[in-house]
Amino acid sequence: MLEKELKYPVILVHGIGAKDNKLFWGRIPEVLRHAGVKIFLGNTDSWAGIESNALALRDSVNNVLEICNAAKVNLIAHSKGGIDSRFLISTLGYAPKIASLTTISSPHLGSEIVDFISDKKYIHTKLAKKITYSLAKLYRDKKPDPYKILEDLTTKRMLEFNQNNPDDLGVYYCSYHSLMKSKFDDFSHFITYDFLKKKVGENDGIVSLKSSKWGEDFKLIEGKNRGGISHSEIVDIKRTKISGVDIPQEYLKIVRELKNRGF
């Protein structure tokens, strides 16, 4: 059982437009718990800025450390959750309490899609903002601020973020990424995949391969057949094999790798 071998508990941290529930994380928490992993959720907002979510994650980390009587935690973060986690580690000074940060499809170099959206004047009209904030409130966030996300995740702003949030030598950083091989792999990312493919090349429908690489080690989670795996599919939201890949088993591999490294 991994519980007897894994030194520190694991916290899953979601990204934009997601919630800590079975709908989003699919079978992943259940499979990890069945393997004996002490697994917890980050309890961050769906539509909050980086700093706001990092503060919420700080509370979750403190809670897990107390529950498990542990010195540190392992963070496994999807998409923007990886950026929130880096802010927690660096700016909020939580490196001594974090053993490792594994990011999955996180936009470390910023989002080319956010660049495109944030440049559109109609996005910033009073009507657009009113509609956007109304939709964000449906997620019942504590501090929803979707326009802060647009501000935070541009490629220009992430360049500044990376300068201000360098990796801590006491934390192990690694990253994973999946790729769509065609815009037909996932119709929910049909348009965005095509946009990114033309602009920056390989991507998962939301984050480019170039932007997702971070840390000491980087690995691709690839389909076993001709199909790909999209940005949303990599969190098991469809609760089924994707292109021949059992997604929860990929998370078990990540945890086993952390165990092998002594975390």
Side-chain angles (χ1 to χ4, degrees):
M1 295 287 283
L2 279 170
E3 181 181 14
K4 297 180 181 179
E5 302 169 337
L6 194 65
K7 189 173 182 180
Y8 303 113
V10 172
I11 299 179
L12 296 176
V13 188
H14 68 67
I16 299 170
K19 297 292 288 185
D20 282 324
N21 55 34
K22 291 183 178 180
L23 177 63
F24 178 72
W25 287 112
R27 302 161 294 171
I28 294 168
E30 179 184 352
V31 168
L32 292 179
R33 288 192 184 102
H34 188 263
V37 179
K38 293 179 180 177
I39 188 78
F40 299 86
L41 303 176
N43 295 312
T44 51
D45 280 344
S46 303
W47 297 100
I50 293 171
E51 182 174 2
S52 177
N53 268 355
L55 289 169
L57 182 57
R58 179 188 64 183
D59 294 339
S60 295
V61 169
N62 289 339
N63 188 45
V64 171
L65 291 175
E66 183 176 353
I67 291 173
C68 298
N69 192 27
K72 298 183 179 184
V73 300
N74 294 299
L75 300 177
I76 299 179
H78 177 250
S79 195
K80 177 178 168 287
I83 312 304
D84 300 336
S85 299
R86 286 180 54 205
F87 190 94
L88 169 72
I89 293 168
S90 299
T91 297
L92 298 187
Y94 257 54
K97 299 182 180 182
I98 310 300
S100 68
L101 170 60
T102 302
T103 62
I104 301 172
S105 305
S106 293
H108 295 286
L109 302 184
S111 169
E112 297 85 1
I113 291 176
V114 170
D115 287 347
F116 176 78
I117 295 173
S118 62
D119 283 341
K120 303 303 177 185
K121 292 183 179 180
Y122 59 80
I123 291 295
H124 302 278
T125 63
K126 289 183 179 180
L127 177 60
K129 288 184 177 181
K130 184 177 181 179
I131 293 172
T132 302
Y133 278 102
S134 295
L135 292 173
K137 288 181 180 178
L138 296 176
Y139 284 76
R140 297 182 179 180
D141 284 356
K142 295 177 182 178
K143 297 181 180 179
D145 194 350
Y147 278 82
K148 190 67 173 68
I149 295 174
L150 286 180
E151 179 184 329
D152 286 345
L153 293 182
T154 62
T155 53
K156 179 180 179 181
R157 184 54 65 90
M158 280 305 298
L159 178 61
E160 298 172 4
F161 177 92
N162 291 335
Q163 292 172 343
N164 294 329
N165 292 273
D167 290 352
D168 190 282
L169 294 177
V171 178
Y172 171 67
Y173 298 80
C174 67
S175 52
Y176 290 75
H177 194 60
S178 64
L179 293 174
M180 289 176 63
K181 297 181 180 179
S182 161
K183 58 186 176 183
F184 299 105
D185 284 339
D186 186 341
F187 283 99
S188 65
H189 298 318
F190 185 94
I191 296 175
T192 51
Y193 169 82
D194 211 32
F195 169 81
L196 287 171
K197 182 67 175 179
K198 293 174 181 177
K199 189 172 181 64
V200 288
E202 293 183 293
N203 68 89
D204 65 359
I206 296 294
V207 175
S208 67
L209 175 61
K210 174 184 175 182
S211 188
S212 68
K213 293 182 179 180
W214 197 263
E216 298 176 40
D217 296 290
F218 172 78
K219 296 180 182 179
L220 278 176
I221 300 176
E222 299 186 85
K224 295 181 179 180
N225 51 38
R226 294 183 179 180
I229 304 171
S230 75
H231 189 79
S232 57
E233 290 172 335
I234 198 61
V235 290
D236 198 45
I237 196 168
K238 294 183 177 178
R239 304 177 69 87
T240 188
K241 285 187 177 181
I242 306 295
S243 299
V245 175
D246 189 327
I247 301 300
Q249 291 301 314
E250 294 301 313
Y251 282 73
L252 269 179
K253 291 178 184 178
I254 290 172
V255 171
R256 289 194 177 103
E257 179 62 26
L258 293 176
K259 183 268 296 183
N260 292 337
R261 289 180 174 273
F263 303 125

